[in-house]
Amino acid sequence: FLRVFEYIDEVVVDRHLQRPADLRAKDMGIKDSMRENAIRRAVDVWHSCLSQYHNARPDIAKQCLAVIERYVEWIEVTFVVTEAWVNLFYYLMSLPALRVHASECLLQLILKKQIPVVKIQTLIALRLVDSVPMLVPAVTSQMPQSEAEARFLYSVTDLIVTGARELGQCFIDGQLIPQAEQSVRVIL
């Protein structure tokens, strides 16, 4: 199941591949159809997969997180920015085998292109500021003892810095509307 999504990403979605205009239009039609008919169910299956296999089959859970990381860029963000998903991502960040991949999914959600008011709503829903006290000790308690620990340190640092930069960019753009300014006060 997950390999099908990887294949679709490689053949249809990958923005780094140069394709003729007619093929890009066809690919866009496939993505639009997926958005309308399949992604909501896929997101539910991904959540079930992660919930079910995070301990028993971390290799499957890791593959699922890799798929999510790729799809976040173009699927409806509200499908994976829910309390259940956010809790799952932070829980997976506590598991050594999955923590970097879960952090990368959160990073992609933060990097998703959105207008400032929606970006701020996403940042609030991701509870990044509230999670910093949990994340900082995980990366500052001692020097990394392995390459895996160093990757986790980097991913969490990148997550925190990118979240702050994206929030700051909302101010720099000067496009905040009053509702967004109030939302920022909630974050801070």
Side-chain angles (χ1 to χ4, degrees):
F1 177 76
L2 295 171
R3 288 188 182 143
V4 170
F5 284 99
E6 289 173 335
Y7 180 78
I8 291 169
D9 179 69
E10 291 168 12
V11 174
V12 175
V13 179
D14 190 345
R15 296 176 70 187
H16 299 99
L17 293 177
Q18 297 298 322
R19 296 181 173 99
D22 61 328
L23 188 53
R24 282 194 316 264
K26 182 179 175 185
D27 292 347
M28 185 58 75
I30 293 170
K31 283 172 51 178
D32 290 343
S33 180
M34 288 179 69
R35 276 188 198 103
E36 294 170 14
N37 301 307
I39 291 298
R40 177 76 226 161
R41 288 184 301 233
V43 168
D44 291 341
V45 172
W46 296 339
H47 192 277
S48 296
C49 177
L50 290 171
S51 298
Q52 183 175 357
Y53 293 114
H54 66 272
N55 281 326
R57 294 290 309 271
D59 57 316
I60 292 174
K62 194 180 294 186
Q63 184 180 16
C64 186
L65 287 167
V67 167
I68 294 165
E69 185 180 343
R70 291 177 180 176
Y71 277 70
V72 159
E73 180 181 339
W74 62 273
I75 67 172
E76 175 59 44
V77 70
T78 59
F79 291 166
V80 289
V81 181
T82 65
E83 186 172 344
W85 268 104
V86 172
N87 289 340
L88 182 59
F89 284 134
Y90 284 117
Y91 172 72
L92 296 174
M93 285 180 67
S94 73
L95 305 176
L98 302 173
R99 61 190 183 177
V100 171
H101 295 281
S103 179
E104 292 297 323
C105 286
L106 287 169
L107 179 64
Q108 291 307 310
L109 287 166
I110 289 169
L111 288 171
K112 187 168 176 72
K113 293 183 181 178
Q114 300 171 310
I115 61 171
V117 69
V118 175
K119 172 70 76 174
I120 289 169
Q121 291 168 346
T122 298
L123 292 171
I124 290 169
L126 292 176
R127 300 188 321 259
L128 187 60
V129 173
D130 294 339
S131 299
V132 168
M134 172 196 75
L135 297 173
V136 170
V139 296
T140 60
S141 60
Q142 62 182 3
M143 290 297 293
Q145 302 297 313
S146 67
E147 186 178 328
E149 288 178 5
R151 279 195 312 270
F152 181 58
L153 171 66
Y154 177 80
S155 71
V156 169
T157 303
D158 196 22
L159 181 67
I160 293 168
V161 169
T162 302
R165 185 182 66 234
E166 291 291 312
L167 178 60
Q169 191 63 47
C170 290
F171 284 107
I172 291 169
D173 289 346
Q175 298 175 4
L176 287 179
I177 58 173
Q179 299 96 327
E181 288 180 31
Q182 276 198 291
S183 297
V184 169
R185 293 183 209 293
V186 170
I187 291 176
L188 302 175

